[in-house]
Amino acid sequence: MAAHLMASCYNNLRYRQRLILVAFCLGGFGLMSVYTSHGNKNSLLIGEVIASATKSTNSKCSHQKNILFLKTHKCGSTSVYHTILRYGMKKSLSIALPKQGNRWFPKWMLFQRNMVAPFLPDKDRYNIVCHNTRYNKAEIDKTLGKGAVRFSIIRDPVNVFESYYKYYKIKNRTNVNLTMFYEDPSLYFNLLLKRKSLDVPARNPIMYDFGLDITDFDNKTVIDRKLKSIEKEFDLLMIAKHFDESIILLHQLLCCALNDVVGLKMNSRFDDTKEIMNDSLKQKIREWNWADQLLYERFHRIFYTKVQRHGTSKMSKAVSQLQREREKYKARCVEGVRVRNIGEMAKTGVSAKILIYNGNSSDHECQLLLNPGALTWNHMSTIDRKE
């Protein structure tokens, strides 16, 4: 069947596209597969790879100053968030901060320009938006300067929901374990939704962060339209399980020095706190979170195409260099590590055992690396406000 599909596609391609197809096949990258929402493995349509791979790229790039990082929930986004805060402060860029020193913009609402702490006049634009919020293109356009690059990070929906279940202590809120939750997910979803005590709903949390309304979670037409708009409006969706490769693509997108995007993985959870899931449970999670699954499948394919266009050998060398630079920063900045169980913190409503770095507090560069969030308010209070 794969050979028939390849021959059919090949006969309908122009000469240049045929050359690209042959190159892909020789490189072992012509046919890839990912899980579908039905749990089967479908071959990646070659035409999709070629269409993405033949998009023109400029050999020269411009250093990017205007940035949207959509910080998604339970996708390993904190590490990237820290990197972007550090990037902005090192380059004296203006960062749109939530009001009253909050770590996120108001929950359960699409982003609005008036949610931003008024460091700049209303008519002025900020350089960076990177705190937790729900994507709203029109209001982001009002907030950021022209030509802003837009990117985010996504993760396998199975792992997202497992992390969500443990972090938000869903067992305590519903009195059921993860397996029982998925015996009747609609019941518990609605129960949790009525309370609105969580940051995001217990279904399709990634697409919700991208602005999909809860009422459209079963509307395939709206979901398809949202997926197309994300592909059109976002320059990169990083993949959590390919974190280092994602950072290299981000480095390319921002057209910056590699050291500008070197960071440490933050809030890493210990394996012994993770739920063990069988294949049946994983499939139920995929089906319940089917909008997130469609998003993941689509951009997982696009991500691999970007890696191939970058060059697999070139990517491998870049990742090795990134890892060496990360180790240099660890040696310079990390004086020790400790385990923090945030479930022990009073009234958090969340639970997780995570790794925390003890850093060199006398080195400003290390402060920016390990705890940039503590420096942002002062940064915006002192920044040169002339764009």
Side-chain angles (χ1 to χ4, degrees), residues 137-184:
K137 181 182 184 300
E139 293 294 318
I140 289 292
D141 288 346
K142 290 181 183 179
T143 307
L144 290 175
K146 293 181 180 179
V149 297
R150 301 170 192 232
F151 68 98
S152 186
I153 184 168
I154 60 175
R155 186 184 182 192
D156 185 333
V158 172
N159 296 327
V160 169
F161 198 88
E162 186 277 334
S163 179
Y164 178 99
Y165 178 87
K166 298 290 284 189
Y167 182 81
Y168 291 113
K169 298 196 286 192
I170 302 302
K171 183 175 182 178
N172 293 353
R173 298 170 188 266
T174 60
N175 295 317
V176 295
N177 62 27
L178 185 56
T179 300
M180 293 177 63
F181 183 99
Y182 273 95
E183 292 301 319
D184 192 354

Short mmCIF file of all heavy atoms in Angstrom, two decimals, residues 137-184:
data_model
loop_
_atom_site.label_atom_id
_atom_site.label_comp_id
_atom_site.label_asym_id
_atom_site.label_seq_id
_atom_site.Cartn_x
_atom_site.Cartn_y
_atom_site.Cartn_z
N LYS A 137 -5.61 36.22 18.58
CA LYS A 137 -4.77 36.87 17.58
C LYS A 137 -4.96 38.38 17.55
O LYS A 137 -3.98 39.14 17.51
CB LYS A 137 -5.05 36.28 16.20
CG LYS A 137 -4.18 36.90 15.09
CD LYS A 137 -4.52 36.34 13.73
CE LYS A 137 -3.57 36.90 12.68
NZ LYS A 137 -3.64 38.38 12.57
N ALA A 138 -6.20 38.84 17.53
CA ALA A 138 -6.45 40.27 17.41
C ALA A 138 -5.83 41.06 18.55
O ALA A 138 -5.21 42.12 18.33
CB ALA A 138 -7.96 40.53 17.34
N GLU A 139 -5.95 40.55 19.78
CA GLU A 139 -5.41 41.27 20.93
C GLU A 139 -3.89 41.12 21.05
O GLU A 139 -3.21 42.02 21.53
CB GLU A 139 -6.10 40.80 22.21
CG GLU A 139 -7.58 41.16 22.27
CD GLU A 139 -7.81 42.67 22.36
OE1 GLU A 139 -7.07 43.35 23.10
OE2 GLU A 139 -8.71 43.17 21.66
N ILE A 140 -3.38 39.99 20.60
CA ILE A 140 -1.92 39.83 20.54
C ILE A 140 -1.35 40.85 19.55
O ILE A 140 -0.32 41.49 19.80
CB ILE A 140 -1.53 38.40 20.13
CG1 ILE A 140 -1.84 37.41 21.26
CG2 ILE A 140 -0.06 38.33 19.73
CD1 ILE A 140 -0.98 37.57 22.49
N ASP A 141 -2.04 41.02 18.42
CA ASP A 141 -1.59 42.00 17.42
C ASP A 141 -1.57 43.42 17.98
O ASP A 141 -0.71 44.23 17.61
CB ASP A 141 -2.50 41.95 16.19
CG ASP A 141 -2.29 40.68 15.36
OD1 ASP A 141 -1.29 39.99 15.59
OD2 ASP A 141 -3.14 40.38 14.50
N LYS A 142 -2.50 43.72 18.87
CA LYS A 142 -2.54 45.04 19.50
C LYS A 142 -1.39 45.23 20.49
O LYS A 142 -1.00 46.37 20.77
CB LYS A 142 -3.86 45.24 20.26
CG LYS A 142 -5.09 45.39 19.39
CD LYS A 142 -6.31 45.60 20.29
CE LYS A 142 -7.60 45.68 19.49
NZ LYS A 142 -8.77 45.85 20.38
N THR A 143 -0.89 44.15 21.00
CA THR A 143 0.09 44.19 22.10
C THR A 143 1.52 44.14 21.62
O THR A 143 2.39 44.82 22.18
CB THR A 143 -0.18 43.03 23.07
OG1 THR A 143 -1.56 43.06 23.47
CG2 THR A 143 0.71 43.13 24.30
N LEU A 144 1.78 43.34 20.59
CA LEU A 144 3.14 43.15 20.11
C LEU A 144 3.47 44.05 18.93
O LEU A 144 2.58 44.48 18.20
CB LEU A 144 3.35 41.69 19.69
CG LEU A 144 3.38 40.66 20.83
CD1 LEU A 144 3.47 39.26 20.25
CD2 LEU A 144 4.53 40.92 21.78
N GLY A 145 4.75 44.29 18.74
CA GLY A 145 5.19 45.05 17.59
C GLY A 145 4.96 44.28 16.29
O GLY A 145 4.63 43.09 16.29
N LYS A 146 5.13 44.97 15.19
CA LYS A 146 4.89 44.36 13.89
C LYS A 146 5.90 43.24 13.62
O LYS A 146 7.03 43.27 14.05
CB LYS A 146 5.01 45.42 12.79
CG LYS A 146 3.92 46.48 12.83
CD LYS A 146 4.10 47.49 11.71
CE LYS A 146 3.01 48.54 11.74
NZ LYS A 146 3.18 49.55 10.66
N GLY A 147 5.42 42.25 12.87
CA GLY A 147 6.30 41.16 12.46
C GLY A 147 6.73 40.24 13.57
O GLY A 147 7.79 39.61 13.49
N ALA A 148 5.93 40.12 14.62
CA ALA A 148 6.29 39.25 15.74
C ALA A 148 6.34 37.79 15.30
O ALA A 148 5.47 37.32 14.55
CB ALA A 148 5.30 39.42 16.88
N VAL A 149 7.35 37.06 15.76
CA VAL A 149 7.38 35.62 15.54
C VAL A 149 6.51 34.97 16.61
O VAL A 149 6.42 35.46 17.74
CB VAL A 149 8.81 35.05 15.57
CG1 VAL A 149 9.66 35.63 14.45
CG2 VAL A 149 9.49 35.31 16.91
N ARG A 150 5.87 33.88 16.24
CA ARG A 150 4.94 33.20 17.15
C ARG A 150 5.30 31.73 17.23
O ARG A 150 5.44 31.07 16.20
CB ARG A 150 3.51 33.38 16.66
CG ARG A 150 3.11 34.84 16.56
CD ARG A 150 1.79 35.04 15.86
NE ARG A 150 1.62 36.46 15.55
CZ ARG A 150 0.56 37.18 15.87
NH1 ARG A 150 -0.45 36.65 16.50
NH2 ARG A 150 0.51 38.46 15.56
N PHE A 151 5.44 31.25 18.44
CA PHE A 151 5.76 29.83 18.60
C PHE A 151 5.20 29.33 19.91
O PHE A 151 4.79 30.11 20.79
CB PHE A 151 7.26 29.58 18.50
CG PHE A 151 8.08 30.14 19.63
CD1 PHE A 151 8.48 29.33 20.68
CD2 PHE A 151 8.46 31.47 19.64
CE1 PHE A 151 9.24 29.84 21.73
CE2 PHE A 151 9.23 31.98 20.69
CZ PHE A 151 9.61 31.17 21.73
N SER A 152 5.17 28.01 20.04
CA SER A 152 4.66 27.38 21.26
C SER A 152 5.32 26.01 21.38
O SER A 152 6.20 25.65 20.60
CB SER A 152 3.13 27.26 21.19
OG SER A 152 2.61 26.77 22.42
N ILE A 153 4.90 25.26 22.38
CA ILE A 153 5.41 23.90 22.57
C ILE A 153 4.23 22.98 22.87
O ILE A 153 3.31 23.37 23.60
CB ILE A 153 6.47 23.84 23.69
CG1 ILE A 153 7.06 22.44 23.80
CG2 ILE A 153 5.92 24.32 25.03
CD1 ILE A 153 8.32 22.36 24.68
N ILE A 154 4.24 21.79 22.28
CA ILE A 154 3.16 20.83 22.50
C ILE A 154 3.75 19.49 22.91
O ILE A 154 4.95 19.25 22.78
CB ILE A 154 2.26 20.67 21.26
CG1 ILE A 154 3.07 20.19 20.05
CG2 ILE A 154 1.56 21.99 20.95
CD1 ILE A 154 2.22 19.89 18.82
N ARG A 155 2.88 18.61 23.36
CA ARG A 155 3.32 17.33 23.93
C ARG A 155 2.26 16.28 23.64
O ARG A 155 1.08 16.60 23.42
CB ARG A 155 3.48 17.53 25.45
CG ARG A 155 4.07 16.38 26.22
CD ARG A 155 4.05 16.74 27.71
NE ARG A 155 4.65 15.72 28.55
CZ ARG A 155 4.55 15.70 29.88
NH1 ARG A 155 3.88 16.69 30.50
NH2 ARG A 155 5.12 14.76 30.59
N ASP A 156 2.66 15.02 23.64
CA ASP A 156 1.72 13.92 23.45
C ASP A 156 0.56 14.08 24.44
O ASP A 156 0.78 14.16 25.65
CB ASP A 156 2.45 12.60 23.69
CG ASP A 156 1.59 11.37 23.40
OD1 ASP A 156 0.36 11.46 23.50
OD2 ASP A 156 2.17 10.32 23.07
N PRO A 157 -0.68 14.13 23.94
CA PRO A 157 -1.84 14.34 24.83
C PRO A 157 -1.96 13.32 25.96
O PRO A 157 -2.50 13.64 27.02
CB PRO A 157 -3.04 14.25 23.88
CG PRO A 157 -2.49 14.68 22.56
CD PRO A 157 -1.08 14.13 22.52
N VAL A 158 -1.47 12.11 25.75
CA VAL A 158 -1.49 11.10 26.83
C VAL A 158 -0.64 11.58 28.00
O VAL A 158 -1.07 11.54 29.16
CB VAL A 158 -0.99 9.74 26.31
CG1 VAL A 158 -0.82 8.76 27.47
CG2 VAL A 158 -1.96 9.17 25.28
N ASN A 159 0.55 12.03 27.71
CA ASN A 159 1.44 12.51 28.76
C ASN A 159 0.94 13.82 29.37
O ASN A 159 1.13 14.07 30.57
CB ASN A 159 2.85 12.70 28.21
CG ASN A 159 3.46 11.39 27.76
OD1 ASN A 159 3.21 10.34 28.34
ND2 ASN A 159 4.25 11.44 26.70
N VAL A 160 0.32 14.65 28.54
CA VAL A 160 -0.25 15.90 29.05
C VAL A 160 -1.31 15.61 30.10
O VAL A 160 -1.31 16.18 31.21
CB VAL A 160 -0.87 16.74 27.91
CG1 VAL A 160 -1.69 17.91 28.47
CG2 VAL A 160 0.23 17.29 27.00
N PHE A 161 -2.23 14.68 29.77
CA PHE A 161 -3.32 14.44 30.72
C PHE A 161 -2.84 13.73 31.97
O PHE A 161 -3.33 14.02 33.07
CB PHE A 161 -4.47 13.65 30.08
CG PHE A 161 -5.74 13.78 30.87
CD1 PHE A 161 -6.62 14.82 30.63
CD2 PHE A 161 -6.01 12.90 31.91
CE1 PHE A 161 -7.77 14.97 31.41
CE2 PHE A 161 -7.15 13.04 32.69
CZ PHE A 161 -8.03 14.08 32.43
N GLU A 162 -1.88 12.82 31.83
CA GLU A 162 -1.34 12.16 33.02
C GLU A 162 -0.72 13.20 33.95
O GLU A 162 -0.93 13.17 35.18
CB GLU A 162 -0.30 11.12 32.60
CG GLU A 162 0.24 10.27 33.75
CD GLU A 162 1.37 10.95 34.51
OE1 GLU A 162 2.07 11.80 33.93
OE2 GLU A 162 1.53 10.65 35.71
N SER A 163 0.04 14.13 33.39
CA SER A 163 0.65 15.19 34.19
C SER A 163 -0.42 16.09 34.80
O SER A 163 -0.33 16.48 35.97
CB SER A 163 1.60 16.01 33.31
OG SER A 163 2.20 17.05 34.04
N TYR A 164 -1.42 16.41 34.01
CA TYR A 164 -2.55 17.23 34.46
C TYR A 164 -3.25 16.57 35.66
O TYR A 164 -3.52 17.22 36.67
CB TYR A 164 -3.51 17.40 33.29
CG TYR A 164 -4.78 18.19 33.55
CD1 TYR A 164 -4.88 19.53 33.19
CD2 TYR A 164 -5.89 17.59 34.13
CE1 TYR A 164 -6.05 20.25 33.40
CE2 TYR A 164 -7.05 18.30 34.36
CZ TYR A 164 -7.13 19.63 33.99
OH TYR A 164 -8.29 20.34 34.21
N TYR A 165 -3.53 15.27 35.53
CA TYR A 165 -4.24 14.52 36.56
C TYR A 165 -3.48 14.54 37.89
O TYR A 165 -4.06 14.75 38.95
CB TYR A 165 -4.46 13.09 36.08
CG TYR A 165 -5.15 12.20 37.08
CD1 TYR A 165 -6.55 12.13 37.15
CD2 TYR A 165 -4.42 11.42 37.97
CE1 TYR A 165 -7.18 11.32 38.08
CE2 TYR A 165 -5.04 10.59 38.89
CZ TYR A 165 -6.42 10.55 38.94
OH TYR A 165 -7.05 9.75 39.88
N LYS A 166 -2.15 14.35 37.79
CA LYS A 166 -1.35 14.31 39.01
C LYS A 166 -1.13 15.71 39.59
O LYS A 166 -1.26 15.92 40.80
CB LYS A 166 0.01 13.65 38.71
CG LYS A 166 -0.09 12.22 38.24
CD LYS A 166 -0.53 11.26 39.33
CE LYS A 166 0.59 10.96 40.29
NZ LYS A 166 0.26 9.87 41.22
N TYR A 167 -0.82 16.66 38.73
CA TYR A 167 -0.48 18.01 39.19
C TYR A 167 -1.67 18.69 39.88
O TYR A 167 -1.51 19.31 40.93
CB TYR A 167 -0.01 18.84 38.00
CG TYR A 167 0.42 20.25 38.36
CD1 TYR A 167 1.70 20.49 38.87
CD2 TYR A 167 -0.43 21.33 38.19
CE1 TYR A 167 2.11 21.78 39.20
CE2 TYR A 167 -0.02 22.62 38.53
CZ TYR A 167 1.24 22.83 39.03
OH TYR A 167 1.63 24.10 39.36
N TYR A 168 -2.83 18.57 39.27
CA TYR A 168 -4.02 19.23 39.83
C TYR A 168 -4.79 18.36 40.83
O TYR A 168 -5.91 18.69 41.21
CB TYR A 168 -4.96 19.68 38.71
CG TYR A 168 -4.38 20.82 37.90
CD1 TYR A 168 -4.02 20.63 36.57
CD2 TYR A 168 -4.19 22.07 38.46
CE1 TYR A 168 -3.49 21.67 35.82
CE2 TYR A 168 -3.65 23.11 37.71
CZ TYR A 168 -3.31 22.90 36.40
OH TYR A 168 -2.78 23.94 35.66
N LYS A 169 -4.18 17.24 41.21
CA LYS A 169 -4.77 16.35 42.22
C LYS A 169 -6.22 16.01 41.89
O LYS A 169 -7.14 16.15 42.71
CB LYS A 169 -4.66 16.98 43.61
CG LYS A 169 -3.21 17.20 44.05
CD LYS A 169 -3.06 17.45 45.53
CE LYS A 169 -3.50 18.83 45.94
NZ LYS A 169 -3.10 19.18 47.32
N ILE A 170 -6.43 15.53 40.66
CA ILE A 170 -7.78 15.20 40.20
C ILE A 170 -8.38 14.07 41.03
O ILE A 170 -9.59 14.02 41.25
CB ILE A 170 -7.76 14.84 38.70
CG1 ILE A 170 -7.19 16.00 37.87
CG2 ILE A 170 -9.17 14.49 38.22
CD1 ILE A 170 -7.94 17.30 38.04
N LYS A 171 -7.54 13.16 41.50
CA LYS A 171 -8.05 12.07 42.33
C LYS A 171 -8.70 12.61 43.59
O LYS A 171 -9.77 12.14 44.01
CB LYS A 171 -6.92 11.11 42.69
CG LYS A 171 -7.38 9.89 43.48
CD LYS A 171 -6.24 8.91 43.71
CE LYS A 171 -6.73 7.69 44.47
NZ LYS A 171 -5.63 6.69 44.68
N ASN A 172 -8.10 13.61 44.20
CA ASN A 172 -8.68 14.21 45.40
C ASN A 172 -9.96 14.99 45.09
O ASN A 172 -10.86 15.08 45.93
CB ASN A 172 -7.67 15.15 46.05
CG ASN A 172 -6.46 14.43 46.61
OD1 ASN A 172 -6.42 13.20 46.63
ND2 ASN A 172 -5.47 15.18 47.05
N ARG A 173 -10.02 15.53 43.91
CA ARG A 173 -11.19 16.36 43.54
C ARG A 173 -12.38 15.53 43.09
O ARG A 173 -13.52 15.99 43.17
CB ARG A 173 -10.80 17.33 42.41
CG ARG A 173 -9.71 18.33 42.79
CD ARG A 173 -9.23 19.08 41.55
NE ARG A 173 -8.05 19.91 41.81
CZ ARG A 173 -8.07 21.19 42.13
NH1 ARG A 173 -9.24 21.81 42.25
NH2 ARG A 173 -6.96 21.87 42.33
N THR A 174 -12.11 14.30 42.58
CA THR A 174 -13.19 13.47 42.03
C THR A 174 -13.39 12.15 42.75
O THR A 174 -14.39 11.46 42.51
CB THR A 174 -12.91 13.16 40.55
OG1 THR A 174 -11.66 12.43 40.46
CG2 THR A 174 -12.83 14.44 39.73
N ASN A 175 -12.44 11.78 43.61
CA ASN A 175 -12.47 10.51 44.33
C ASN A 175 -12.39 9.30 43.41
O ASN A 175 -12.90 8.21 43.74
CB ASN A 175 -13.74 10.41 45.20
CG ASN A 175 -13.75 11.44 46.30
OD1 ASN A 175 -12.75 11.68 46.96
ND2 ASN A 175 -14.90 12.08 46.49
N VAL A 176 -11.75 9.46 42.25
CA VAL A 176 -11.54 8.33 41.35
C VAL A 176 -10.10 8.36 40.84
O VAL A 176 -9.50 9.42 40.71
CB VAL A 176 -12.51 8.35 40.14
CG1 VAL A 176 -13.95 8.18 40.60
CG2 VAL A 176 -12.34 9.61 39.32
N ASN A 177 -9.57 7.16 40.56
CA ASN A 177 -8.23 7.12 39.99
C ASN A 177 -8.30 7.41 38.49
O ASN A 177 -9.41 7.57 37.93
CB ASN A 177 -7.54 5.78 40.29
CG ASN A 177 -8.27 4.59 39.67
OD1 ASN A 177 -8.96 4.71 38.67
ND2 ASN A 177 -8.11 3.43 40.29
N LEU A 178 -7.16 7.42 37.83
CA LEU A 178 -7.12 7.81 36.42
C LEU A 178 -7.90 6.83 35.55
O LEU A 178 -8.62 7.24 34.63
CB LEU A 178 -5.66 7.89 35.96
CG LEU A 178 -5.41 8.39 34.53
CD1 LEU A 178 -6.03 9.76 34.31
CD2 LEU A 178 -3.91 8.42 34.23
N THR A 179 -7.80 5.55 35.84
CA THR A 179 -8.53 4.55 35.05
C THR A 179 -10.03 4.73 35.20
O THR A 179 -10.79 4.69 34.21
CB THR A 179 -8.12 3.13 35.48
OG1 THR A 179 -6.72 2.96 35.27
CG2 THR A 179 -8.89 2.08 34.69
N MET A 180 -10.49 4.94 36.42
CA MET A 180 -11.93 5.15 36.66
C MET A 180 -12.41 6.46 36.04
O MET A 180 -13.54 6.55 35.56
CB MET A 180 -12.21 5.12 38.16
CG MET A 180 -12.00 3.77 38.81
SD MET A 180 -12.24 3.81 40.62
CE MET A 180 -13.98 4.26 40.70
N PHE A 181 -11.58 7.48 36.04
CA PHE A 181 -11.93 8.75 35.41
C PHE A 181 -12.33 8.52 33.96
O PHE A 181 -13.32 9.09 33.47
CB PHE A 181 -10.75 9.71 35.49
CG PHE A 181 -11.02 11.08 34.94
CD1 PHE A 181 -11.33 12.14 35.78
CD2 PHE A 181 -10.96 11.34 33.57
CE1 PHE A 181 -11.57 13.42 35.28
CE2 PHE A 181 -11.21 12.60 33.05
CZ PHE A 181 -11.51 13.65 33.91
N TYR A 182 -11.59 7.65 33.29
CA TYR A 182 -11.86 7.43 31.87
C TYR A 182 -12.91 6.37 31.60
O TYR A 182 -13.19 6.05 30.44
CB TYR A 182 -10.55 7.12 31.13
CG TYR A 182 -9.91 8.42 30.68
CD1 TYR A 182 -8.94 9.03 31.47
CD2 TYR A 182 -10.33 9.07 29.54
CE1 TYR A 182 -8.39 10.24 31.09
CE2 TYR A 182 -9.79 10.28 29.15
CZ TYR A 182 -8.83 10.86 29.93
OH TYR A 182 -8.31 12.08 29.56
N GLU A 183 -13.55 5.87 32.65
CA GLU A 183 -14.75 5.06 32.46
C GLU A 183 -15.93 5.96 32.09
O GLU A 183 -16.84 5.54 31.37
CB GLU A 183 -15.06 4.27 33.73
CG GLU A 183 -14.04 3.18 34.05
CD GLU A 183 -13.92 2.15 32.94
OE1 GLU A 183 -14.97 1.76 32.37
OE2 GLU A 183 -12.78 1.75 32.63
N ASP A 184 -15.91 7.18 32.59
CA ASP A 184 -16.96 8.16 32.25
C ASP A 184 -16.35 9.56 32.30
O ASP A 184 -16.66 10.36 33.19
CB ASP A 184 -18.12 8.04 33.24
CG ASP A 184 -19.36 8.82 32.78
OD1 ASP A 184 -19.27 9.54 31.76
OD2 ASP A 184 -20.40 8.71 33.45
#
